[in-house]
Amino acid sequence: TGRPLHANRVLGGGPALAAAFQPLPGAELEAASSLLAALLDLLLARREDQVRLREHLMETGSHCPGCFWLFLRVFASGDVDHGGAAFVRCCHLLALLAEGDEHISRALRSARALDLVADRLARATKGDALGTEWLPFATAAAHLLQILICEEDTQCMSIADPTLFVPA
């Protein structure tokens, strides 16, 4: 679609938006890690599944926030000594989907994914237990941050109210 995507539209607003930034409990993080690993393997093997997941991520129905909120909850988690593998897989999965897709990148930026990933990376450098090795953790985070920062955003140069434009 050509319309701007905001976190509250992609997540469905209301409870789904509020829940998106709540950390996952440890058992749910471990389950998410296994599911994300299987999903990542599937997406790497079948290009048509990447397209299908991109479409599902951008669904904006108010009754179902899709799976977008799960990724944000994985990023918000990590105050305990587990969840690092889920974080790494989530970063790789979203990097795969966001690379070359302006809409996914814009939706992730709008949902504060940059802040969540950078915060988790900063906490990890201060000695928080990762639940995984440092190198894959930092590499996955840096790769996703690079894609979200560098991905083109054609709407960033448009002015919200053209009547406010005053030529120099």
Side-chain angles (χ1 to χ4, degrees):
T1 66
R3 342 181 271 200
L5 295 171
H6 300 287
N8 60 347
R9 277 217 349 249
V10 172
L11 294 170
L17 182 60
F21 303 103
Q22 299 301 313
L24 286 171
E28 290 181 30
L29 261 178
E30 293 307 315
S33 179
S34 298
L35 291 172
L36 289 169
L39 181 58
L40 185 57
D41 288 343
L42 180 66
L43 294 178
L44 290 170
R46 296 174 27 133
R47 179 100 173 120
E48 61 270 16
D49 290 328
Q50 290 180 26
V51 173
R52 175 176 271 163
L53 185 55
R54 280 186 180 110
E55 291 170 356
H56 184 66
L57 279 173
M58 294 293 102
E59 286 180 3
T60 58
S62 60
H63 64 284
C64 175
C67 57
F68 197 85
W69 64 272
L70 171 67
F71 299 120
L72 298 177
R73 290 190 70 189
V74 169
F75 289 151
S77 302
D79 291 334
V80 292
D81 63 350
H82 55 278
F87 176 84
V88 169
R89 291 175 177 133
C90 191
C91 285
H92 283 302
L93 199 145
L94 288 177
L96 179 68
L97 295 174
E99 191 168 25
D101 190 304
E102 180 180 351
H103 300 293
I104 298 273
S105 298
R106 187 179 313 119
L108 286 168
R109 286 189 295 265
S110 176
R112 296 184 34 240
L114 285 167
D115 295 335
L116 291 169
V117 172
D119 179 62
R120 180 77 191 278
L121 189 57
R123 283 186 286 136
T125 61
K126 294 178 185 173
D128 282 3
L130 299 176
T132 190
E133 296 294 321
W134 167 250
L135 187 60
F137 186 91
T139 302
H143 182 61
L144 178 59
L145 291 172
Q146 177 187 10
I147 287 171
L148 293 180
I149 291 168
C150 296
E151 190 62 39
E152 185 176 4
D153 186 358
T154 57
Q155 291 188 347
C156 74
M157 299 303 285
S158 64
I159 189 165
D161 185 358
T163 62
L164 296 176
F165 178 71
V166 179

